[in-house]
Amino acid sequence: MRAGFYPKLAFDGIRKNKRMYIPYILTCVGMVMMYYIISFLQYSDTVVYLKGSGTIKSMLGLGSWVIAIFACIFLFYTNSFLIRRRKKELGLYNILGMGKRNIGLILLWETLIIAFISLAAGLFFGFAFSKLAELGLANMIQQDTNYTLSVSFDAIGMTLILFGAIFVLLFFNSLRQVRFSSAVSLLKSENVGEKPPKGNWFLGLLGILILGAAYYIAVSIEDPISALLWFFAAVIMVVVGTYLVMVAGSVLFCRILQKRKGYYYKPNHFVSVSSMVYRMKRNGAGLASVCILATMVLVMISSTTCLYFGCEDSLYSRYPKEINMDYRFLSAKDMSDENISALRSDILNVTEDYDIKPDEIFDYRTACIAGLLEDNEVECDSSYMNYSNMVSYSDVYQFYFIPLDDYNRMMNTSETLKDDEALLYVYRDDYNEDTISFNRAGSFKIKKHIDKFTDTADAALSMIPSMFLVVPDIEKTVENFQNIAYDDGSMMINLRWQYNFDTGLDKEKQIELYNELESFYQNNDSSGIFKIQYIESRAENKDDFYATFGGFLYLGIILSIVFIFAAVLIIYYKQISEGYEDQARFEIMQKVGMTKREIRKSINSQLLTVFFLPLIGAGLHLAFAFPIIQKLLMMFNLFNVTLFAVTTIISFIVFALLYTLVYKITSNAYYNIVSGAKDKV
Amino acid sequence: MSILEVNGLRKVYSTRFGGNKVEALKNVNFSVEVGEFVAIMGESGSGKTTLLNILAALDKSTNGSVILDGNDLTKIKDSSVSQFRRDKLGFVFQDFNLLDTFTIEDNIYLPLVLAGKSYKEMNERLMPIAARLGISELLKKYPYEVSGGQKQRAAVARALITNPKLVLADEPTGALDSKASDELLKLFCEVNRLVGQTILMVTHSVKAASVANRVLFIKDGEVFHQIYRGADTDQQLYQKISDTLTLLATGGDRR
């Protein structure tokens, strides 16, 4: 046989079936491009020098895995359409005397051609758009980058390996399908059609159970730590559950509809329900993918925009005042009133050069320890802790003891307390007992619940709920905790004095003051009093915050574009390929007496269901994901539920509009194909 | 009383750029009486399919009129064509045209569902027809699970269930083996004789044509000849048709 025989046959095969192959090749090109871009960003110098590049890199790494797995599933899915259509042609070759080996060669060449086109075009577009992506990233977080076009060989290597492997698998899959079928079955395969799947009760119910469990987890989780632990489990459960429900559950649902004769035998339900059940098994996977993608897009966009717009909030709760000073002490004696006064006057010496109005100074001492709360008993010593009792992290609290004097001074009150009494303020939780007792460290009667205490960065930073106890004698209280110590004998209880104030200065002056305070402590050693001392300036950290949160938003947008692109491709491809299949069916229906209007109506009802099922699914997922994501956002000091609700709702509306647009376009394409069936027998 | 009257029917196809014109039907005139079973025969390219398409209102004629049950098909509005087809006509196709997405039962119901009938009524209509056609056992199966002959019987049931004025059959035995063909033709005769169903069948099988009451021969876009059965048996009619076809073939050469 001539040398170019097989390549030519393979090429002709692709050319003649271009209606089917062009979307497939486009899909491959798109997947290669997306994968390249994301791995390019992962290895990009620009990203490495970003603040928080570690987080961004690991997120990109996760993203590249998601795309890789997704590409694999999706290409198999689309490839199965192709093979079905090609089987007839291959069967003919087989009957005309071509062996399975020869057909294998044709398939090999076909795979090679498609792989070559996809990788070449995909990488080309990848190079072109990766720079754009990089510039966008640098721009969003206000950092400079060079404008030279760069190519990442690591990323190319990864892309080639991944897609090489996928194409090899696809080839073997096609080969397997040809190998195990006889010539006759190959010839007929297109006509056989898929058997309408039997409604699988087991899988359908399993899917609903898994989904329900995931929803339950998402709703019932109360604290951020558990949220973080359970989040990925919940995500996987939702993915699995969605696939099962869409694949098996939807068939079940259609079967039930079919049983209801009054509903089923109506002109607009009859055709759409039967054709949905006919291809739901195959459709289900596609719909589930679209649903999952839509959910991911919505979750990413809503949470990252929330982070971005909540940046200021987060900054303020992390740095309650413009200048925040924090001193740690070794013993309760060290933080006596005299010592604190000395420290305070040091600060005032530095700040008097600046024209500042010391507005609302936070000036208070605390003693802080973590403990496990059971009913009204607290165990702070980890060596006594019974870990088997520890149901969840939600029982762990941070306890802050505050001297009554400091409290009265700050809040302008004149509370009085007896020796064993305390005022209680609970942050991010409730506490309804009358007393609280610390094992081996005394107990307090709660004289009064107070509903407000100054915002503290510390409590905001901590992921666990906090309790503030205003106590009459801090020295005595601390003494009681002396025995609760680390192995090296140092106390577990943390002693500190905070002095936070607003300056009313502009940004440059604030940073200047901050630097002067820093240098004061470098030059003047006051370490006789305190163990360690921190100074933090809100102005100085603002850029960092915006860099990090802007980076997150950018990543969210990039991944969303990728996923939306993929979802649109799935929808479009599905509609087009189904349009060709349905053409013949609608032709028959027209012959039997269906009017064009009825056809249009039936198509609409079918498309509406198929299209908006994933959107509804995504909306449901999003609604249930809301509480758990909100908990996760707490870790970024974001407690503004309203903001998150607003960004979520806006994201959903924008996405729904975009989705409807895609629906309009593809349904027109579909209708044109279907009604292109000429009026003839 | 005639149910179908075809007068001076002409159909001209133009090639894509309007250059060459092909006259598929020149001047076709005939009528079909209520309760008749008419077969139309002709060679490939004689215009049979064009004629059937026009009768089925799937195609428009260039000149002439087709009057079905008092309505002129050539003047009927596009929007009501489908409904007209659904109410007045039943179709049996060579390649069955059953939908794989429906069970046999649902395939048969399709025209009735489109007409908005209730399930109860549809079921009542189906049962006697299914029993007569011998497909009662197959109703829950899908088209690809049954044989060709069974598919065609299902298609006949679909054509009959609307009680159409006229059943149009396009090469109904074309995709069947001889045994299944014989069974199908027997069914056609039964339906024609027992129920009085009017049937118009296009075929090029002598065997199929020989069960009809009357056979029309089309050649070069015109009705060339016709044979009435009279008192002939199927065998005798078969012989006559064969003779006519031979004559047509040789006569055609002379012209």
Side-chain angles (χ1 to χ4, degrees):
Chain A
M1 258 183 251
R2 275 189 301 121
F5 180 70
Y6 291 112
K8 193 172 171 303
L9 262 187
F11 190 76
D12 278 355
I14 294 172
R15 202 169 45 83
K16 281 180 198 143
N17 293 290
K18 57 171 179 273
R19 283 170 166 183
M20 296 300 288
Y21 273 91
I22 284 177
Y24 175 64
I25 291 174
L26 279 181
T27 310
C28 294
V29 170
M31 288 291 165
V32 171
M33 182 185 87
M34 291 167 196
Y35 186 79
Y36 173 78
I37 289 179
I38 201 132
S39 30
F40 168 81
L41 285 178
Q42 204 181 340
Y43 294 110
S44 156
D45 288 345
T46 316
V47 175
V48 170
Y49 293 123
L50 291 182
K51 282 163 184 155
S53 67
T55 328
I56 291 178
K57 269 190 83 156
S58 68
M59 273 189 73
L60 285 169
L62 184 72
S64 72
W65 273 107
V66 171
I67 293 180
I69 292 167
F70 178 71
C72 195
I73 295 171
F74 186 52
L75 291 184
F76 263 87
Y77 166 77
T78 44
N79 189 257
S80 71
F81 282 93
L82 290 181
I83 270 296
R84 257 161 52 88
R85 277 185 95 93
R86 294 280 276 131
K87 268 185 181 173
K88 188 173 185 172
E89 191 186 329
L90 297 176
L92 190 64
Y93 289 149
N94 196 345
I95 284 175
L96 292 179
M98 215 180 240
K100 292 270 165 78
R101 203 186 66 88
N102 309 58
I103 290 177
L105 276 173
I106 297 179
L107 286 176
L108 178 66
W109 274 102
E110 206 176 285
T111 313
L112 283 177
I113 292 171
I114 292 176
F116 177 76
I117 297 175
S118 314
L119 286 171
L123 285 177
F124 173 78
F125 287 116
F127 297 154
F129 288 112
S130 59
K131 195 65 208 176
L132 210 66
E134 197 187 74
L135 287 176
L137 175 61
N139 191 39
M140 182 164 278
I141 59 175
Q142 286 139 28
Q143 294 187 32
D144 289 330
T145 180
N146 53 8
Y147 282 80
T148 50
L149 198 65
S150 62
V151 167
S152 158
F153 288 100
D154 287 333
I156 294 177
M158 295 280 289
T159 313
L160 288 179
I161 290 170
L162 173 75
F163 284 91
I166 290 179
F167 280 118
V168 168
L169 287 175
L170 284 175
F171 169 64
F172 281 119
N173 186 43
S174 318
L175 205 60
R176 183 184 61 86
Q177 295 205 29
V178 171
R179 185 141 217 117
F180 292 114
S181 35
S182 68
V184 176
S185 66
L186 279 178
L187 258 182
K188 279 191 178 161
S189 57
E190 204 181 348
N191 300 337
V192 166
E194 271 174 69
K195 293 216 165 103
K198 300 270 181 304
N200 191 332
W201 285 94
F202 175 71
L203 287 182
L205 286 177
L206 189 68
I208 291 170
L209 279 180
I210 291 178
L211 208 55
Y215 283 171
Y216 177 76
I217 290 173
V219 173
S220 62
I221 278 197
E222 283 174 354
D223 59 296
I225 304 259
S226 318
L228 189 65
L229 289 176
W230 281 98
F231 185 69
F232 289 101
V235 166
I236 288 165
M237 284 166 81
V238 166
V239 171
V240 172
T242 308
Y243 273 93
L244 287 177
V245 167
M246 293 263 182
V247 172
S250 59
V251 174
L252 270 186
F253 181 67
C254 289
R255 286 265 175 249
I256 291 167
L257 285 184
Q258 278 186 322
K259 291 241 167 69
R260 292 180 48 205
K261 303 213 178 328
Y263 175 88
Y264 178 51
Y265 290 105
K266 288 271 177 297
N268 41 344
H269 301 150
F270 191 56
V271 176
S272 47
V273 171
S274 68
S275 49
M276 272 195 292
V277 76
Y278 179 68
R279 57 160 76 108
M280 224 8 146
K281 199 169 165 191
R282 185 165 35 129
N283 260 0
L287 292 183
S289 310
V290 172
C291 180
I292 298 286
L293 288 174
T295 312
M296 291 206 269
V297 167
L298 287 170
V299 164
M300 279 189 305
I301 286 291
S302 61
S303 52
T304 52
T305 42
C306 177
L307 278 179
Y308 193 70
F309 290 112
C311 191
E312 203 81 0
D313 278 11
S314 179
L315 186 67
Y316 274 65
S317 59
R318 173 66 182 80
Y319 305 104
K321 295 286 170 187
E322 283 168 4
I323 303 283
N324 303 285
M325 312 190 66
D326 187 350
Y327 299 79
R328 304 289 164 97
F329 302 90
L330 285 168
S331 75
K333 278 196 197 69
D334 289 345
M335 57 177 194
S336 64
D337 288 339
E338 298 82 58
N339 285 348
I340 297 295
S341 298
L343 288 173
R344 196 182 288 129
S345 63
D346 280 347
I347 298 170
L348 291 175
N349 278 338
V350 178
T351 55
E352 74 185 354
D353 300 340
Y354 293 82
D355 177 28
I356 62 171
K357 303 177 282 290
D359 245 4
E360 274 195 60
I361 298 166
F362 288 175
D363 174 356
Y364 64 99
R365 288 165 289 180
T366 53
C368 160
I369 192 163
L372 181 67
L373 179 73
E374 264 180 290
D375 299 330
N376 65 345
E377 280 190 24
V378 184
E379 179 57 70
C380 296
D381 194 338
S382 54
S383 54
Y384 284 89
M385 268 184 210
N386 184 355
Y387 285 99
S388 61
N389 287 352
M390 208 161 112
V391 185
S392 89
Y393 283 99
S394 58
D395 296 328
V396 179
Y397 286 76
Q398 194 79 22
F399 296 93
Y400 294 91
F401 298 99
I402 296 155
L404 180 64
D405 294 345
D406 294 20
Y407 176 79
N408 278 336
R409 189 178 61 240
M410 273 185 59
M411 306 300 285
N412 270 330
T413 51
S414 48
E415 301 280 353
T416 53
L417 290 169
K418 294 203 189 89
D419 275 356
D420 58 348
E421 282 180 339
L423 302 174
L424 178 69
Y425 169 64
V426 186
Y427 184 68
R428 255 190 256 167
D429 206 353
D430 297 313
Y431 184 74
N432 297 317
E433 308 282 339
D434 294 332
T435 58
I436 187 159
S437 93
F438 295 85
N439 289 346
R440 294 170 307 284
S443 66
F444 297 98
K445 269 194 223 116
I446 293 163
K447 187 187 178 197
K448 196 163 104 179
H449 281 270
I450 47 183
D451 49 6
K452 195 177 182 304
F453 185 62
T454 172
D455 303 323
T456 79
D458 213 52
L461 272 184
S462 145
M463 289 168 210
I464 55 182
S466 315
M467 285 197 184
F468 293 85
L469 285 150
V470 179
V471 294
D473 187 344
I474 190 85
E475 256 181 76
K476 202 177 135 217
T477 309
V478 172
E479 239 165 60
N480 289 337
F481 280 92
Q482 225 145 26
N483 294 328
I484 301 172
Y486 292 106
D487 290 341
D488 64 1
S490 62
M491 282 191 297
M492 273 188 187
I493 198 160
N494 214 336
L495 304 174
R496 56 203 287 206
W497 173 59
Q498 273 164 289
Y499 189 82
N500 307 337
F501 58 96
D502 278 344
T503 58
L505 301 169
D506 61 13
K507 194 177 157 191
E508 282 77 32
K509 281 279 183 195
Q510 281 180 41
I511 293 176
E512 201 183 306
L513 173 59
Y514 161 75
N515 288 333
E516 199 159 326
L517 285 166
E518 282 265 272
S519 58
F520 172 82
Y521 282 104
Q522 269 161 20
N523 302 333
N524 302 280
D525 186 22
S526 337
S527 58
I529 305 175
F530 52 83
K531 181 173 73 174
I532 196 161
Q533 165 271 350
Y534 307 95
I535 307 173
E536 288 171 332
S537 156
R538 190 195 288 160
E540 216 250 344
N541 285 292
K542 190 171 176 167
D543 290 347
D544 266 13
F545 261 64
Y546 273 93
T548 314
F549 287 13
F552 276 129
L553 177 60
Y554 177 78
L555 263 180
I557 290 172
I558 280 271
L559 282 180
S560 295
I561 290 172
V562 166
F563 288 149
I564 288 175
F565 185 31
V568 168
L569 264 176
I570 294 180
I571 294 168
Y572 190 77
Y573 188 75
K574 207 168 83 65
Q575 288 305 322
I576 296 299
S577 60
E578 277 172 14
Y580 289 121
E581 285 173 24
D582 288 354
Q583 200 176 332
R585 291 198 307 116
F586 280 107
E587 207 174 325
I588 294 175
M589 285 187 215
Q590 247 175 310
K591 282 181 197 164
V592 177
M594 204 170 184
T595 60
K596 288 229 160 147
R597 233 183 93 241
E598 282 166 337
I599 289 183
R600 179 114 227 192
K601 253 171 88 181
S602 140
I603 289 173
N604 273 344
S605 113
Q606 196 176 331
L607 284 184
L608 271 178
T609 320
V610 165
F611 253 85
F612 289 99
L613 200 67
L615 190 64
I616 292 167
L620 203 64
H621 288 345
L622 187 66
F624 278 99
F626 186 87
I628 195 168
I629 294 168
Q630 197 244 320
K631 303 281 181 327
L632 289 178
L633 287 178
M634 283 183 181
M635 296 205 281
F636 295 95
N637 303 326
L638 228 116
F639 307 101
N640 194 337
V641 181
T642 327
L643 176 70
F644 184 45
V646 168
T647 58
T648 305
I649 290 167
I650 290 178
S651 310
F652 188 76
I653 291 172
V654 170
F655 185 82
L657 288 178
L658 197 77
Y659 196 80
T660 313
L661 188 74
V662 173
Y663 162 71
K664 285 275 172 217
I665 293 170
T666 53
S667 72
N668 276 339
Y670 177 85
Y671 186 74
N672 286 340
I673 293 169
V674 170
S675 63
K678 296 260 162 50
D679 274 1
K680 60 182 180 186
V681 178
Chain B
M1 196 185 96
S2 66
I3 186 120
L4 178 71
E5 273 181 57
V6 178
N7 297 314
L9 197 63
R10 182 163 173 267
K11 174 74 184 177
V12 179
Y13 285 111
S14 309
T15 47
R16 185 138 53 138
F17 301 106
N20 294 339
K21 293 211 156 80
V22 179
E23 199 171 32
L25 297 177
K26 270 183 198 150
N27 181 18
V28 177
N29 299 287
F30 70 96
S31 66
V32 177
E33 301 295 314
V34 173
E36 256 195 309
F37 183 179
V38 177
I40 295 178
M41 294 199 76
E43 295 169 6
S44 301
S46 61
K48 284 180 306 200
T49 308
T50 311
L51 177 62
L52 197 74
N53 281 349
I54 293 173
L55 294 183
L58 291 167
D59 205 349
K60 292 261 172 210
S61 61
T62 315
N63 297 110
S65 66
V66 177
I67 299 180
L68 179 68
D69 198 29
N71 300 293
D72 192 343
L73 272 187
T74 52
K75 296 208 170 63
I76 209 157
K77 269 186 294 174
D78 260 0
S79 54
S80 44
V81 155
S82 292
Q83 180 148 18
F84 181 81
R85 203 184 291 152
R86 186 165 77 205
D87 295 342
K88 307 275 180 179
L89 296 172
F91 294 94
V92 179
F93 304 95
Q94 177 174 2
D95 50 359
F96 324 129
N97 277 349
L98 295 175
L99 294 163
D100 272 347
T101 52
F102 288 118
T103 57
I104 298 283
E105 182 179 10
D106 289 351
N107 262 296
I108 298 172
Y109 286 154
L110 184 61
L112 289 184
V113 172
L114 295 175
K117 297 280 188 281
S118 74
Y119 177 72
K120 196 163 154 281
E121 189 187 341
M122 294 193 293
N123 199 39
E124 277 167 6
R125 283 207 206 177
L126 173 64
M127 285 312 147
I129 293 175
R132 187 179 309 137
L133 297 179
I135 51 171
S136 303
E137 309 297 311
L138 308 172
L139 290 178
K140 297 291 172 203
K141 294 198 169 175
Y142 282 86
Y144 51 83
E145 292 171 327
V146 303
S147 74
Q150 289 167 329
K151 276 191 224 180
Q152 196 59 297
R153 274 183 274 158
V156 172
R158 184 178 64 188
L160 293 178
I161 201 162
T162 55
N163 298 326
K165 297 288 177 191
L166 178 66
V167 169
L168 294 174
D170 182 12
E171 303 275 11
T173 58
L176 302 179
D177 59 39
S178 64
K179 185 163 168 286
S181 296
D182 288 349
E183 281 173 7
L184 185 81
L185 292 169
K186 217 175 111 213
L187 274 177
F188 271 18
C189 285
E190 268 179 41
V191 170
N192 175 247
R193 274 166 210 161
L194 298 178
V195 192
Q197 177 68 56
T198 318
I199 301 172
L200 183 72
M201 173 171 69
V202 167
T203 183
H204 59 236
S205 148
V206 180
K207 184 88 179 279
S210 68
V211 301
N213 301 137
R214 176 158 62 115
V215 185
L216 294 175
F217 295 90
I218 291 191
K219 188 173 163 70
D220 301 328
E222 283 178 289
V223 177
F224 187 79
H225 181 62
Q226 60 175 329
I227 304 174
Y228 280 91
R229 172 189 289 272
D232 291 343
T233 60
D234 286 0
Q235 277 303 320
Q236 287 166 322
L237 189 58
Y238 186 97
Q239 197 52 51
K240 278 187 187 172
I241 296 167
S242 304
D243 294 346
T244 310
L245 284 177
T246 319
L247 197 71
L248 269 178
T250 48
D253 282 347
R254 265 206 304 272
R255 267 167 50 156

